[in-house]
Amino acid sequence: MSQPVDSAVSAVRTFIEQHRAVFLDDLAEWLRIPSVSAQPDHAPDVRRSADWLAAKLKETGFPTTEVWPTPGAPAVYAEWPSADPGAPTVLVYGHHDVQPAAREDGWDTDPFEPVVRGNRLYARGAADDKGQVFFHTLGVRAHLAATGRTTPAVHLKLLIEGEEESGSPHFRDLVEQHADRLTADAVIVSDTGMWSEDTPTVCTGMRGLAECEIRLFGPDQDIHSGSFGGAVPNPATAAARLVAALHDEQARVAVPGFYDGVVDLTDRERELFAALPFDEDRWLRTARSHGTLGEAGYSTLERVWARPTAEVNGIGGGYQGPGSKTIVPSSATVKLSFRLVAGQDPEHVANAVRAWVPGHLPDGIRHEISFSPATRPCLTPLDHPALQSVVRAMGRAFGKPVLFTREGGSGPAADLQDVLGAPVLFLGISVPSDGWHAPNEKVELDLLLKGVETSAHLWGDLAEHWRHAP
Ligand SMILES: [Zn+2]
């Protein structure tokens, strides 16, 4: 049984070894394009990055490559159908734009002049996300070479957006506009990481996000605290009481209805999370916090990955200048964000918050609440066949067991899940030390090539274990 596995693994490795130098040169060429979507003067570079990628995907063998315009930066779409009509369709998501970077931010070298030091490639976008998009190009070629196929074992589609680092303002519209081209049985997001160099993991979900601003209004202007204070409601006090009421003694969110629909962790997931080599002291140092605090009954990892939360992002109002100003302020503001987990509906949460606020305000305090557009949560169950394929492919590449994580943050992947109705899986080889959004971003070359290998094994495995019923 193990013989064919070994020969497939070594055929893939041989191919990658033969093509590794050109692959890294090509990636370096792409990294030299400063595709910073947040900075308007880099707009031509973001377009150049899209064109560069589309041309490279064509060269890789994708028969269809297109640059899709948006009101902002363009996305790249590519498609490579399988000759096998019953094959599943997989859509790979990533992004070709990068975070801003300048030498004076603390980079040791020019962020847009890639350099290899030791076994690391340093450049803005090396890990987030150009490296992790690009490993699929060599991956699909290794897949073909190792299996003797001329088309991939799955119908392969790529959607690489150009505005992820700017909050993906046009992504949902883009996906809706092209929904019939993008249909897929599964979405593979290649814009995440794994636990550590030694512990390969697959991420199974991301939390969603709902954010609001609550403005509280008292007197029509700041008024004298001696003449009026103590006899009229103070909006700053009201803000403090509102915020204090947000959690109960168990650090659970006290908004009625907030937990409606929440998909609980399974015992198996809790066991697997607990199997990760988690060092809480180290985590605290990374967090730069001086203690842990969260919902009773859950571990730190469970709290950040699998439980919904409410956070006070800011609270303000009244006089905050030097010395004193004895007033009852006229207004106060609270900014809240809610991380949501699978089963929670952002609209339902927003309505629950809207219904909860007035009951915690005294008469004479008027309020306004505004929610920004929400991001939905996504989660793929551990036993999903496509997830199992990712785990097997990664296991073959790394030669060790693959564990599971989730992502506490939120991202546009959920739009793909919503619009396309396909499960979202996360495949990433980046590690926490890669320095996303920070100076000296890098990717570990060994891991990058493991990403190529994983991609090379994945398509065949998916086709074998997850065929369409005729
Ligand atoms: Zn990214």
Side-chain angles (χ1 to χ4, degrees):
M1 261 316 272
S2 67
Q3 201 52 40
V5 170
D6 290 347
S7 69
V9 167
S10 62
V12 162
R13 284 192 184 148
T14 303
F15 185 87
I16 293 171
E17 204 39 58
Q18 285 162 351
H19 295 85
R20 143 196 183 124
V22 176
F23 167 74
L24 292 176
D25 283 351
D26 285 346
L27 175 58
E29 193 177 301
W30 193 19
L31 290 167
R32 280 187 199 101
I33 304 174
S35 48
V36 180
S37 58
Q39 296 173 336
D41 45 326
H42 281 297
D45 296 316
V46 185
R47 284 197 296 276
R48 194 151 57 91
S49 160
D51 291 340
W52 186 94
L53 178 62
K56 192 53 70 177
L57 291 170
K58 178 123 279 185
E59 196 183 304
T60 300
F62 282 83
T64 302
T65 63
E66 296 171 14
V67 173
W68 285 354
T70 76
V76 176
Y77 175 72
E79 200 177 323
W80 197 342
S82 176
D84 174 0
T89 303
V90 179
L91 174 68
V92 173
Y93 164 86
H95 59 91
H96 67 89
D97 62 323
V98 298
Q99 281 277 310
R103 188 77 193 260
E104 54 272 24
D105 299 340
W107 285 76
D108 295 333
T109 52
D110 183 341
F112 297 104
E113 189 45 59
V115 287
V116 173
R117 286 200 300 276
N119 212 4
R120 297 165 162 185
L121 172 65
Y122 290 84
R124 173 57 88 227
D128 179 19
D129 183 32
K130 286 173 174 167
Q132 301 207 89
V133 167
F134 206 57
F135 72 57
H136 288 290
T137 61
L138 186 53
V140 69
R141 289 177 56 213
H143 159 61
L144 299 180
T147 56
R149 303 179 56 98
T150 52
T151 62
V154 298
H155 300 301
L156 190 56
K157 299 177 176 181
L158 258 65
L159 178 61
I160 311 301
E161 74 156 314
E163 297 186 306
E164 198 275 343
E165 301 295 5
S166 299
S168 302
H170 306 104
F171 186 65
R172 174 111 188 180
D173 285 350
L174 184 79
V175 173
E176 281 172 354
Q177 188 190 338
H178 297 282
D180 53 335
R181 304 280 305 278
L182 294 170
T183 51
D185 298 299
V187 175
I188 307 263
V189 171
S190 268
D191 186 25
T192 50
M194 49 183 231
W195 181 263
S196 70
E197 283 87 338
D198 306 321
T199 309
T201 51
V202 171
C203 171
T204 62
M206 292 179 101
R207 291 195 293 185
L209 179 64
E211 293 169 274
C212 71
E213 180 173 304
I214 305 170
R215 289 170 301 278
L216 303 179
F217 304 97
D220 293 339
Q221 58 183 28
D222 293 351
I223 54 176
H224 195 290
S225 72
S227 309
F228 305 105
V232 296
N234 180 319
T237 306
R241 295 182 72 98
L242 184 71
V243 158
L246 191 57
H247 296 90
D248 68 13
E249 299 293 294
Q250 305 291 304
R252 281 174 59 88
V253 179
V255 176
F258 178 75
Y259 289 96
D260 288 355
V262 162
V263 175
D264 283 324
L265 277 160
T266 63
D267 291 344
R268 180 74 182 137
E269 280 171 302
R270 298 190 83 166
E271 238 169 69
L272 287 165
F273 286 178
L276 289 163
F278 178 63
D279 176 343
E280 192 154 272
D281 290 334
R282 207 174 137 195
W283 180 86
L284 268 177
R285 283 196 298 278
T286 311
R288 297 186 174 250
S289 169
H290 305 282
T292 60
L293 179 68
E295 187 182 355
Y298 293 93
S299 71
T300 292
L301 284 182
E302 289 168 352
R303 286 169 178 168
V304 295
W305 286 349
R307 296 299 299 168
T309 59
E311 209 63 56
V312 180
N313 305 127
I315 173 169
Y319 183 69
Q320 288 165 57
S324 68
K325 186 181 182 193
T326 47
I327 54 165
V328 176
S330 78
S331 67
T333 302
V334 174
K335 284 177 183 279
L336 304 178
S337 62
F338 302 89
R339 295 285 172 176
L340 310 177
V341 300
Q344 275 180 306
D345 172 29
E347 199 49 46
H348 180 79
V349 167
N351 287 336
V353 172
R354 286 194 177 97
W356 169 79
V357 169
H360 290 271
L361 300 178
D363 287 347
I365 297 290
R366 189 171 63 82
H367 76 283
E368 291 171 1
I369 304 184
S370 52
F371 274 85
S372 330
T375 305
R376 303 180 80 86
C378 51
L379 178 67
T380 304
L382 295 185
D383 57 0
H384 193 284
L387 184 65
Q388 291 299 320
S389 283
V390 175
V391 169
R392 275 190 300 269
M394 211 171 184
R396 287 171 96 183
F398 282 83
K400 47 175 87 163
V402 175
L403 290 172
F404 296 92
T405 63
R406 290 200 208 171
E407 166 62 48
S410 312
D415 288 328
L416 292 164
Q417 169 194 257
D418 278 6
V419 179
L420 307 177
V424 173
L425 313 161
F426 300 85
L427 165 60
I429 49 75
S430 180
V431 287
S433 62
D434 283 350
W436 289 30
H437 301 197
N440 301 312
E441 178 182 349
K442 54 88 178 164
V443 68
E444 300 283 333
L445 289 176
D446 289 345
L447 298 182
L448 184 66
L449 297 172
K450 291 293 179 199
V452 177
E453 249 185 87
T454 303
S455 171
H457 293 305
L458 180 55
W459 313 131
D461 192 289
L462 270 169
E464 187 183 335
H465 292 94
W466 200 38
R467 296 188 57 79
H468 276 301

